Amino acid sequence: MSARDDFLASIRRSLGVKGNEAIRRQIVTERLERAPRGIVPARGQVSGEERIALFKTMAEASLATVTEVASPTEVPQSIALFLRNHNLPATLRMGDDPRLAAMPWTETTLEIAHGPSEGTDLNAVTHAFGGVAETGTVALVSGHENPSTLNFLPDNHIVVVSAKDIASDYESVWNRVRFAYGKGSMPRTVNWITGPSRSGDIEQTLLLGAHGPRRLHIVVVRD
Amino acid sequence: MTVHTTSPQFKQNATRALGDAQLQKALGNVKQGFIDKRQKAAEALPEFEALRDSARDIKNHTLEHLDLYLEAYEEKVTASGGHVHFARNAEDAREIILGICREAGAKTVTKGKSMISEEIGINHHLEAHGIRPVETDLGEYIIQLRNEMPSHIIAPAVHLNATQVEQDFRRVHRHLDAKRDLSEPVQLLTEARSVLRERFLAADVGITGANFLVAETGTSIIVTNEGNGDLTQILPKTHIVLASIEKLVPTLEDVSQLLRVLARSATGQELSVYTTFSTGPRRSGDADGPENYHVVILDNGRSSMLGTSFEEMLRCIRCGACMNHCPVYHAVGGHAYGWVYPGPMGAVLTPSLIGVDKAGHLPNASTFCGRCESVCPVRIPLPKLMRHWREREFERHLTPATVRSGLNLWGFFAKRPALYRLATRAAMGAMGLAGRRHGRFAWLPMAKGWTKHRDFPAPQGETFQARWQRERKDKTA
C-alpha cells in the first residue's frame, strides 16, 4: 500500500466509509460544480457612487491612501504628485500591463523601469484585477503584466484600479476570475491586499512596514 | 513522536509562569488588546453570528467528505503543475521536505509562520542535515533566535517585551554597529526587515503553512499582515506548502465565508493585510514566482479524531480567539502548556496528537467559564471536549489517587440526594459557625492548595438548595 492509499484508507476507516458511495461522490461533485454562495454581508451590497465611497472608506480604515482620477490619462500625473508629496524619488517600476502601458508616462519626469523587482526598488505600480468594497481590498493577479514581486518588495506600492472593477463582495471577484480563467482554474497567484504591511509582534504594538510595503496608495480610475 | 513536550509538567510550568514578572507584564498585552478589537469587529458586521454558523457548517460538511475532497484537491494541484505528498506522521513529513530541499540543492530555506512546522520539528531536522531554516514572521524570527517555542499561535512572541528582543538582536546581529539605538519597537522592526530582506533574496526554498486548501481549484491560501509569507513563496525557486488535513474546504465561496470570520476573530481586522491564493508553479510567461510547487499534507493523528467527539476540534481555523479570551492562558501564558498549541484549543488538540497520558493536565487547566466557546468562529464546544478528556483520563486511571477518591466520595453523596442534603447542611452549618467572626478562613483542613494563595470565604450557614427552597416558598406564598 502506498503512503497515499494508506493515508486515505485511514480517513475512510475513521469516517466509516469506503469512498465509492455514489451519493457521497454526487454531493461532492455538485458542491464543487455549483459553488453555492454563503452569507454575503449587506454592507457591500450598494452600487454606483455609494460603492466607490464604501471602498474608499474601508481602504482608508486599513491605513491605505486613496485618490481618484477622472480618466486613465491622469494616472501618471497623480502618481508623480503622490511621490513628490511624500518626498519620494521620482522612480517607478511596473510590469507590461497594457492598461498601464497606454498611459502618458512621458508627460511626467518619472523614471520608469519595467519587469519584476529584485528588491532594490523604492516604488512600484501594478494594475488591479479588481477591488472589493466590503473591506477596501484590492485583488491582483500574477503574470508578466503585473509581476507579484512588485506587490511586496518595494517600499511604496501604488495600485491602479478601475472604478468599474470595484465589486461589492469577494464572491463577485471570484465570478470574474472564473470568467477570465475558466471554472476551476486560477492564475498562479491571486493577491488580496488590504492596507500596507504591518506587524504587532513586538508588545502588540501596531507598526507599519514589516516585510512588505510601508505605504499602499490606491488610484481609482473613473472612466 | 514529534517535538519535545513539557506538557506532563504543566503544574510546575504554571507555577514558574505565575512567578515570572517579565512574562506577567507581557501577558497584560493579550488581555488588553485582542478582546476589545474582536468585539468591535464582530459588532461592526451584523451578519457575524450567521457567518459563524456558516463557517461551522462548511467545516462539518468538508470533514464528512474529507477523503473525496482530498482526492479532488490533489487532482487539481497536479493539473496545475504542482505535486501533492501525503505524510502520515511527522517523520514522513520531515523526510519528504528534506528530500525536496535536497533535490533543490538548498542551503537556506525561508519559512512563513506555520504551527504544523513546529509540530513536526522541521527546523531541527533541516539543521541536522546542513540546511539553514530562517523564520521570517517577526515573532517567529525572534523566538528562533531564542530557541523557544511559540507561546501563541498567531502572536508567537507575545510572551516577550521589547527590551528582551533588543538584547537578542544585539546578541545575534553582530555585524551591525554596537552603538545603534534600538530603544523604540519600530527600530527593532526596521532592523529585522533589513536583515531578513537579504535572507529572502538568498533562499533556495520557501516553506509556508496554509490557512486553507481549496478543492475546487487546487489552491493553497495564506493570510499574513507582514507580507513575509509572500516573500517566502515568490522569491525562491521552490515553494513547499505544509498543511494538515483539516485545512481543506470545497470552494472559493466557502473559503470566503471562513475568511470573513478568521481575521475578525483573530486580530479584530476586517481582513488580514495579505490574503494570498496560490495555485501551482510559475506559468509560462510569468515574470516571477516559484518554478516548483509542492504541497505536503499531514495527518499526524488527526484522521483518528474523525468519527469521534473530537472531530469537532478539526473545524479549528487557528485564529487564537480562545486563548485570547482564556483566564488560564492570561495567567500562565502559552509555554506552560508545554507543546505547540496552547490555550483551550491546545488543551483539546494536544492530548489527541501526543496522548492523554502526556497532556492530561491541559484539559484540567480550565475554569470552564465558557468564554472560549462563546468566541470560537467555528463554534467548537471547547469546554465539552475538555470534559471528554477529563472523563477519559479518569477512565484510564491517569488521575491521581487523591482526586479519584475525592470524586468517588462526592459521587457517593451525589447519587443519594437526601444524604447529600444532610451532609452539606451539617458542613455548611459548621463552617458558617466557625467562620462567623472573620467571614473567611485563612486555613482549612485538606484545602491547603486553595488557602495557601487566598482566603476561603465562609459560608453563611445555609446551603444553596435550602435557600432555593425557602425563597421559592416565599415567592409562592
Side-chain angles (χ1 to χ4, degrees), chain B residues 286-299:
Chain B
D286 277 4
D288 48 22
E291 287 163 26
N292 310 296
Y293 177 77
H294 295 270
V295 185
V296 180
I297 300 186
L298 179 74
D299 183 335

Side-chain angles (χ1 to χ4, degrees), chain B residues 25-162:
Chain B
K25 184 171 160 244
L27 286 171
N29 298 328
V30 179
K31 266 185 272 189
Q32 278 179 0
F34 287 117
I35 295 177
D36 287 353
K37 287 181 201 156
R38 180 203 166 271
Q39 180 80 18
K40 278 187 191 136
E43 283 168 1
L45 191 71
E47 295 88 351
F48 188 71
E49 292 304 314
L51 279 161
R52 288 174 65 190
D53 291 339
S54 175
R56 173 199 59 205
D57 296 345
I58 288 166
K59 282 287 193 171
N60 281 346
H61 167 82
T62 316
L63 290 169
E64 277 167 37
H65 302 88
L66 190 59
D67 54 326
L68 302 179
Y69 281 120
L70 272 171
E71 284 181 351
Y73 169 78
E74 183 194 21
E75 196 178 309
K76 280 290 178 184
V77 175
T78 311
S80 63
H83 303 274
V84 179
H85 309 262
F86 292 92
R88 289 164 297 191
N89 49 42
E91 195 187 345
D92 278 3
R94 285 193 297 263
E95 288 315 308
I96 292 164
I97 291 170
L98 180 64
I100 298 167
C101 291
R102 279 185 169 153
E103 203 178 312
K107 289 191 186 69
T108 68
V109 170
T110 40
K111 288 184 64 212
K113 181 157 68 68
S114 156
M115 288 304 113
I116 295 165
S117 86
E118 302 278 352
E119 184 182 323
I120 66 167
I122 190 65
N123 286 4
H124 285 301
H125 193 65
L126 291 176
E127 276 165 11
H129 291 85
I131 297 168
R132 182 182 178 196
V134 180
E135 295 289 350
T136 64
D137 171 85
L138 180 60
E140 285 280 337
Y141 177 69
I142 293 165
I143 63 163
Q144 188 185 26
L145 297 182
R146 301 171 64 87
N147 199 19
E148 285 180 355
M149 297 255 271
S151 66
H152 190 290
I153 60 172
I154 69 160
V158 75
H159 59 289
L160 298 171
N161 297 299

Side-chain angles (χ1 to χ4, degrees), chain A residues 73-107:
Chain A
T73 55
E74 291 175 28
V75 170
Q77 288 293 357
S78 170
I79 292 175
L81 183 67
F82 167 78
L83 295 176
R84 201 158 57 238
N85 284 347
H86 289 89
N87 287 321
L88 295 167
T91 59
L92 192 62
R93 181 171 281 278
M94 64 178 78
D96 56 14
D97 188 287
R99 293 162 296 187
L100 293 177
M103 293 171 182
W105 299 100
T106 49
E107 286 176 12

